[in-house]
Amino acid sequence: MNGQEIPKAYDAKDWEDKLYHAWEESGFFNPDKCIEAGVTKVDAVPFSIVLPPPNVTGTLHTGSACMLAIEDLIVRFKRMQGYRTLWLPGTDHAAIATQSKVEKIIFEEEGKTRHDLGREELLKRVETFAKASHDTIIHQTKKIGSSLDWSREAYTLDEKRNFAVRTAFKKMFDEAIIYRGERIVNWDPEMQTTVSDDEIDYVEKNSPFYYFQYGPFVIGTVRPETKFGDKYVVMHPDDERYKEYQHGQKIDLEWINGPITATIIKDTAGDMTFGSGVMTITPAHSRIDFEIAKRHGLDIEQIIDDQGKLLPIAKEFAGQGIKEARKKIVEKLKTKGLVVKVDEQYAHNIATNSRGGGVIEPQVKKQWWINVNKEFERAGKTVTLKSLMQDAVRSGKIKILPERFEKVYFHWIDNLRDWCISRQIWYGHRIPVWYKNEEIYCGIEAPEGDDWQQDPDTLDTWFSSGLWTFSTLGWPEHTEDLKTYHPTALLETGYDILFFWIARMILMTTYLLDTVPFKTVYLHGLVRDEQGHKMSKSLDNIIDPLDMIADYGADALRLALVIGSSPGNDVRVGDEKIISFRNFTNKLWNIGRYVQTQLTTSDSQPTIVPIPKSDADHWILKRLQDTAGEVTRLIENYQLSLAGEKLRDFTWTEFADWYVEIHKVEKNDTVLCFVFETLLKLWHPFMPYVTEALWGISGNNTKNLLMVEQWPSFAKASEGKPAVDGASSFQLVIGLIQEIRAIKAFYQIDPATKLSITVRGESQQSIQKNEAIFKRLARINEIHFSETLPPHTALAQCGSLQTFIELEGVIDFDAETKRLENEKSEKAKYIATLETKLSNKNFIERAKPDVVVAERLKLEEARKQLADFEHHLASLV
């Protein structure tokens, strides 16, 4: 390592853009180019990931940055291991979210709606917005250092993906998996579209809860405006309070707009524990009520229209909005003596559209659905989509990390309902169905003739996203990419879209390809601020990844997002944490500067384990081998944070604090260079920029970029294989030096003070062998090898090694004796207090178990400290 001079400080701005450009220019993000260049073998095992496509609705956030940091770490690791590694990029058109955002902008700037513009003009506006957003997202993705194969970039709404969507729809339509039918849906009156169950946000709100007299019964509701059509009274068949009432029995009663005849319905959906145990139902505006009506063949009458206004059934209230009409309806019921009481502060959840914020109004609509319980044949077995989704995980074909999310997955799948896939918006994949009079045609291409009218609805964005792992690889054609890279090896994404996306990919892939979309699912958590709060505009705690990169560098941000994070758990990130990793980046840079300035030749062979010349060499090479093996194992098991922590500890402590100092004595340049360049390889997946920069300015590293160097492996180490005995022996030397430093601290001796020590017995040979290192690192002035000990010494021992520190003339014995006697007395009192507390039965019985354990640990530690005081006092006599 003897190339150009390394600048004194590492400034990320000077390196990141030009390094990313070099990576792109090399073509090595593309696995085909790696094979052509000979850095990857033709028969290498494939490893593939598809990037969870960011929505083209704005910019990336810290959660996206976390995803990119984790995935790039894994991809770079696999590429260096020699896998045929593909990381496939793309973006998501995010139909409802994108159209909603553009419509909002148009209305704010021009006061116009989509209907004012028309379908064609709106789609032009949305595409322009999506393109600008796409370009911003790609720029951000590259800034983080993502080694994605941009030659294969995809978009969920491009022509290839549209062809895949049409193909999938037709196959499912032909096999009656997709059907059109009237069912209850989540309707957003503001956006005038259906919304999937998974895109509902529930907002807690306090509202009045009304109790009304309904004939002989008391019913409760927060929505009086839906009660005009209520003519069925539901009660549990086992409710003893109402045993005199029969199923189907008619009763006459006075209601909002006059007398009505109601019908008694006995159904287990009746909740005997809530209120009076009786409820009336509004089948057109409640999923539960709709299902009851379907079971019993009851009338389903719409009360509220698509705009959220009351229909003629409400008579005098017809045409009024829900909020406007509610109070008036209650007032009318009061005048009729039908209001029993009102609970003004009833806490309940309001369903809202997560994409636009509109309040959801359940409606019965004719929509397109995927039947998850439709039986069909697969490999000689009768299956359903639901059973395929269950088997994919239960069989072990897909592993979810962390495993606890498997229970969450099964809970959701076991309760899965038919999936409503049609949306009444204009941006998205148009449903490939055409109508002519009573005829219906479904096809990949439009039917011939002018009289056919295509269905105006678009598909739920998750329909196209569900095809992502294979539509990006060329399906429905049988491409080489599809054959090579599918199923993908890993899906890494946030746990919050386990239902939105992961489950739907499993559904589509198991049905259409009869295989799984991926073998392992790694779920990362949310990125929170340093206090553990979720990032939000209202708290003003949002971290912009580009701002952090500009201030501290991409490597520091990546480390802050990865280290401290584990699958399924949230990670805390703030300026302080990022700064600490910026400092570590600078530490690695400074180590590199030292290594380069110390080398005078360029004859090192960094790919070959060098021959150790001393115990210190044996030790550092053995520790490097152990660390490399442990880091490899941890990354392969997706324990990324722990891998980074192990590597940081070795780099900062064992290499920088110990071996670099040892090198100043022993000057084994070959070992120094080999260890450092191996560290650059190990660190590269975590912090690619600074490692590539250091690698590139090393004189003998001009053949390959670091990103395609071989991952460190000691399996074929030659005669230089670290010797365990030498390594173990030197570990004792290190331990002894640490003991001497601890004794200095105990006696409050200035660390810079040089001491004299006496060594006797078997320890003499080990100390003599490493005398120069020992003197430098332990700050020793003289070493006396003698069996006779001078008076007033302090014993420092590690394993079989012993030295005696000469304290005469170094400390004030009278003052030190007094200090230690005082501390011994205080410690003895503290121990007595703890012993009294722990002997108190009341404390043991009443205190929490962890509190009792903590107190016992305090006592154990205090007793050790007392023994130390007594030992050191004895040395002063």
Side-chain angles (χ1 to χ4, degrees):
M1 180 175 177
N2 191 26
Q4 66 190 76
E5 183 179 350
I6 300 179
K8 289 185 178 180
Y10 175 71
D11 189 338
K13 296 187 189 73
D14 295 339
W15 293 93
E16 291 181 350
D17 287 345
K18 67 181 181 182
L19 284 175
Y20 197 87
H21 179 71
W23 290 331
E24 281 195 284
E25 285 294 304
S26 74
F28 291 152
F29 291 169
N30 184 331
D32 304 331
K33 299 294 184 182
C34 290
I35 291 172
E36 289 174 15
V39 297
T40 301
K41 294 179 180 179
V42 176
D43 59 350
V45 176
F47 181 89
S48 56
I49 302 181
V50 291
L51 176 72
N55 294 346
V56 287
T57 52
T59 59
L60 295 181
H61 49 74
T62 48
S64 306
C66 181
M67 171 190 74
L68 292 168
I70 291 170
E71 291 182 25
D72 192 53
L73 190 165
I74 295 166
V75 165
R76 287 180 183 270
F77 168 70
K78 290 294 182 179
R79 188 184 291 121
M80 293 177 76
Q81 279 193 315
Y83 285 84
R84 186 172 180 172
T85 307
L86 172 63
W87 188 18
L88 202 153
T91 48
D92 191 344
H93 68 287
I96 289 182
T98 306
Q99 180 171 320
S100 172
K101 195 155 191 173
V102 174
E103 283 193 67
K104 185 178 180 181
I105 293 170
I106 292 170
F107 188 78
E108 288 176 350
E109 294 180 355
E110 303 175 34
K112 294 180 179 180
T113 69
R114 60 171 152 160
H115 301 288
D116 296 324
L117 297 178
R119 188 168 193 144
E120 186 176 343
E121 177 60 25
L122 178 75
L123 291 180
K124 284 182 183 178
R125 303 275 193 103
V126 176
E127 287 293 353
T128 300
F129 173 87
K131 178 63 170 64
S133 180
H134 161 273
D135 294 348
T136 299
I137 287 169
I138 298 306
H139 170 70
Q140 291 176 307
T141 302
K142 290 182 177 182
K143 288 292 288 184
I144 292 169
S146 309
S147 56
L148 287 148
D149 182 1
W150 296 108
S151 69
R152 287 175 164 91
E153 184 184 352
Y155 181 46
T156 55
L157 199 56
D158 64 25
E159 181 49 43
K160 289 183 179 179
R161 262 44 67 181
N162 184 253
F163 179 61
V165 164
R166 286 179 276 132
T167 303
F169 188 99
K170 177 168 172 53
K171 177 176 174 59
M172 300 177 93
F173 178 89
D174 289 345
E175 296 187 15
I177 298 294
I178 285 180
Y179 68 94
R180 195 174 186 223
E182 284 195 328
R183 299 186 58 171
I184 198 88
V185 297
N186 303 307
W187 179 257
D188 182 346
E190 286 188 24
M191 289 201 69
Q192 290 288 289
T193 184
T194 57
V195 179
S196 72
D197 290 347
D198 307 316
E199 293 173 314
I200 298 294
D201 282 342
Y202 290 95
V203 180
E204 187 172 302
K205 184 179 179 182
N206 286 329
S207 301
F209 190 87
Y210 304 96
Y211 294 88
F212 299 136
Q213 194 68 46
Y214 190 83
F217 311 109
V218 174
I219 63 169
T221 183
V222 291
R223 303 198 61 195
E225 67 277 3
T226 66
K227 295 301 173 185
F228 292 98
D230 284 17
K231 55 184 179 182
Y232 301 106
V233 188
V234 178
M235 56 191 66
H236 198 284
D238 298 333
D239 197 328
E240 288 294 320
R241 292 171 293 180
Y242 307 110
K243 61 183 178 180
E244 71 268 23
Y245 293 98
Q246 302 300 312
H247 179 74
Q249 180 180 339
K250 307 290 184 182
I251 59 172
D252 294 321
L253 56 96
E254 180 66 24
W255 197 220
I256 304 172
N257 286 328
I260 65 167
T261 298
T263 304
I264 303 295
I265 300 296
K266 298 274 186 164
D267 192 284
T268 53
D271 187 352
M272 293 187 287
T273 64
F274 184 76
S276 65
V278 169
M279 65 179 182
T280 58
I281 60 173
T282 311
H285 300 287
S286 162
R287 175 171 280 113
I288 294 173
D289 295 3
F290 178 81
E291 291 170 354
I292 293 171
K294 280 291 187 183
R295 280 198 292 273
H296 298 283
L298 310 179
D299 295 337
I300 299 174
E301 191 169 8
Q302 190 175 1
I303 312 299
I304 301 166
D305 68 11
D306 291 354
Q307 284 70 42
K309 296 185 183 298
L310 293 174
L311 289 165
I313 189 175
K315 293 187 178 179
E316 67 200 78
F317 305 104
Q320 296 182 18
I322 291 170
K323 290 183 180 179
E324 177 189 358
R326 184 174 295 170
K327 291 182 180 179
K328 295 178 183 178
I329 295 165
V330 173
E331 286 302 316
K332 184 173 182 180
L333 287 167
K334 281 182 179 178
T335 63
K336 302 182 91 171
L338 298 179
V339 177
V340 177
K341 66 175 181 174
V342 180
D343 180 355
E344 294 291 347
Q345 294 296 314
Y346 175 71
H348 66 123
N349 289 324
I350 301 290
T352 63
N353 181 357
S354 64
R355 301 303 187 186
V359 176
I360 296 301
E361 180 60 61
Q363 293 277 17
V364 176
K365 293 277 186 184
K366 181 174 274 191
Q367 299 289 315
W368 289 98
W369 304 81
I370 287 181
N371 188 340
V372 297
N373 294 302
K374 167 77 175 177
E375 292 185 344
F376 56 93
E377 294 297 313
R378 180 72 88 240
K381 293 182 180 179
T382 300
V383 296
T384 65
L385 291 178
K386 186 184 288 189
S387 69
L388 289 177
M389 296 169 79
Q390 292 165 330
D391 179 68
V393 175
R394 189 169 286 127
S395 66
K397 295 173 188 173
I398 295 175
K399 183 179 181 181
I400 299 177
L401 299 175
E403 290 184 2
R404 69 177 186 272
F405 279 94
E406 289 188 5
K407 291 182 179 179
V408 180
Y409 174 83
F410 283 120
H411 176 76
W412 189 78
I413 300 300
D414 293 345
N415 295 283
L416 190 62
R417 292 191 290 261
D418 286 2
W419 172 15
C420 179
I421 57 173
S422 49
R423 300 288 180 267
Q424 290 65 53
I425 60 173
W426 295 343
Y427 188 57
H429 293 279
R430 190 93 170 258
I431 288 176
V433 172
W434 288 259
Y435 308 99
K436 183 168 69 173
N437 300 324
E438 298 300 317
E439 291 184 71
I440 297 179
Y441 172 81
C442 175
I444 296 174
E445 304 296 338
E448 295 180 2
D450 297 331
D451 297 333
W452 291 96
Q453 297 294 320
Q454 188 173 0
D455 194 305
D457 289 354
T458 54
L459 284 164
D460 178 10
T461 190
W462 299 106
F463 189 97
S464 55
S465 297
L467 312 178
W468 191 241
T469 62
F470 54 93
S471 68
T472 52
L473 295 172
W475 185 89
E477 297 173 352
H478 296 288
T479 66
E480 188 63 31
D481 272 0
L482 188 65
K483 177 182 175 183
T484 303
Y485 297 110
H486 201 272
T488 57
L490 175 72
L491 177 78
E492 192 284 331
T493 190
Y495 64 67
D496 53 332
I497 58 171
L498 177 61
F499 313 134
F500 288 103
W501 188 41
I502 296 169
R504 286 182 168 83
M505 283 195 286
I506 295 172
L507 181 155
M508 298 300 250
T509 313
T510 53
Y511 173 74
L512 292 167
L513 273 68
D514 196 22
T515 186
V516 293
F518 28 71
K519 298 170 185 175
T520 301
V521 175
Y522 178 111
L523 299 172
H524 68 251
L526 300 176
V527 179
R528 298 181 178 273
D529 69 12
E530 288 171 308
Q531 284 71 46
H533 300 134
K534 190 173 181 179
M535 293 187 186
S536 67
K537 290 181 180 178
S538 61
L539 294 175
D540 192 28
N541 64 348
I542 292 176
I543 293 176
D544 186 321
L546 284 190
D547 289 345
M548 295 300 103
I549 291 171
D551 291 343
Y552 309 117
D555 290 329
L557 176 62
R558 288 168 62 117
L559 288 175
L561 291 167
V562 170
I563 296 181
S565 171
S566 58
N569 295 319
D570 297 345
V571 58
R572 297 186 181 191
V573 175
D575 279 30
E576 186 176 338
K577 185 178 183 183
I578 300 172
I579 289 170
S580 73
F581 285 113
R582 189 271 312 275
N583 294 342
F584 178 75
T585 304
N586 292 335
K587 177 76 171 180
L588 188 66
W589 184 263
N590 289 331
I591 295 171
R593 289 188 70 245
Y594 171 79
V595 172
Q596 190 196 48
T597 57
Q598 294 301 305
L599 301 182
T600 57
T601 64
S602 58
D603 59 355
S604 67
Q605 294 178 288
T607 58
I608 300 174
V609 179
I611 297 174
K613 298 178 181 178
S614 67
D615 284 354
D617 290 345
H618 279 295
W619 169 76
I620 195 65
L621 290 173
K622 177 63 168 61
R623 288 298 304 126
L624 178 67
Q625 177 178 348
D626 291 347
T627 301
E630 185 70 356
V631 168
T632 302
R633 182 189 68 81
L634 289 168
I635 297 177
E636 286 176 339
N637 288 283
Y638 302 113
Q639 294 176 278
L640 310 180
S641 176
L642 190 53
E645 291 164 21
K646 295 275 186 186
L647 193 51
R648 180 179 57 180
D649 290 345
F650 175 83
T651 304
W652 197 302
T653 305
E654 290 166 295
F655 185 59
D657 289 353
W658 288 101
Y659 191 75
V660 167
E661 292 302 313
I662 290 164
H663 175 267
K664 294 173 183 177
V665 177
E666 293 190 340
K667 292 289 184 181
N668 191 336
D669 293 353
T670 305
V671 171
L672 180 75
C673 181
F674 173 79
V675 175
F676 181 67
E677 292 186 353
T678 303
L679 278 176
L680 291 181
K681 295 177 184 179
L682 293 171
W683 272 120
H684 183 71
F686 293 87
M687 43 200 310
Y689 285 114
V690 69
T691 53
E692 191 73 79
L694 286 165
W695 185 265
I697 52 182
S698 302
N700 57 338
N701 295 327
T702 57
K703 183 179 179 181
N704 285 327
L705 289 166
L706 177 57
M707 66 172 286
V708 289
E709 278 293 318
Q710 186 177 349
W711 184 256
S713 172
F714 291 81
K716 297 181 181 179
S718 59
E719 57 183 314
K721 185 176 181 180
V724 174
D725 290 344
S728 300
S729 174
F730 194 76
Q731 187 66 56
L732 291 178
V733 172
I734 289 174
L736 191 58
I737 292 170
Q738 290 172 324
E739 282 294 309
I740 292 172
R741 291 173 177 175
I743 288 172
K744 275 188 173 184
F746 184 86
Y747 286 112
Q748 301 177 354
I749 301 170
D750 187 335
T753 300
K754 290 190 174 183
L755 302 176
S756 295
I757 60 173
T758 298
V759 183
R760 67 181 186 181
E762 297 178 359
S763 300
Q764 294 187 47
Q765 184 177 356
S766 294
I767 300 301
Q768 285 174 335
K769 192 176 181 182
N770 296 284
E771 184 172 348
I773 293 171
F774 206 83
K775 282 186 173 181
R776 180 182 179 89
L777 300 186
R779 306 288 292 178
I780 300 300
N781 185 37
E782 290 184 294
I783 302 178
H784 303 115
F785 296 97
S786 171
E787 295 299 317
T788 303
L789 294 180
H792 304 306
T793 61
L795 171 64
Q797 179 170 356
C798 181
S800 60
L801 295 185
Q802 292 181 335
T803 65
F804 296 86
I805 302 171
E806 299 171 18
L807 299 176
E808 192 74 47
V810 177
I811 64 173
D812 183 329
F813 284 89
D814 291 339
E816 194 62 24
T817 301
K818 185 177 181 181
R819 179 181 75 83
L820 292 178
E821 287 286 3
N822 288 338
E823 293 198 21
K824 174 185 172 184
S825 176
E826 291 299 318
K827 192 63 64 176
K829 291 177 184 177
Y830 179 62
I831 289 171
T833 301
L834 290 174
E835 288 174 337
T836 300
K837 181 186 285 188
L838 289 168
S839 64
N840 187 327
K841 290 184 178 179
N842 288 333
F843 170 74
I844 299 296
E845 291 173 359
R846 294 176 182 177
K848 293 181 180 179
D850 57 335
V851 172
V852 176
V853 169
E855 293 300 300
R856 284 176 175 159
L857 289 173
K858 288 178 185 176
L859 178 60
E860 183 180 344
E861 179 62 24
R863 285 171 174 168
K864 288 179 182 178
Q865 292 171 347
L866 181 63
D868 282 342
F869 290 136
E870 291 172 342
H871 166 75
H872 288 293
L873 275 167
S875 300
L876 299 179
V877 177

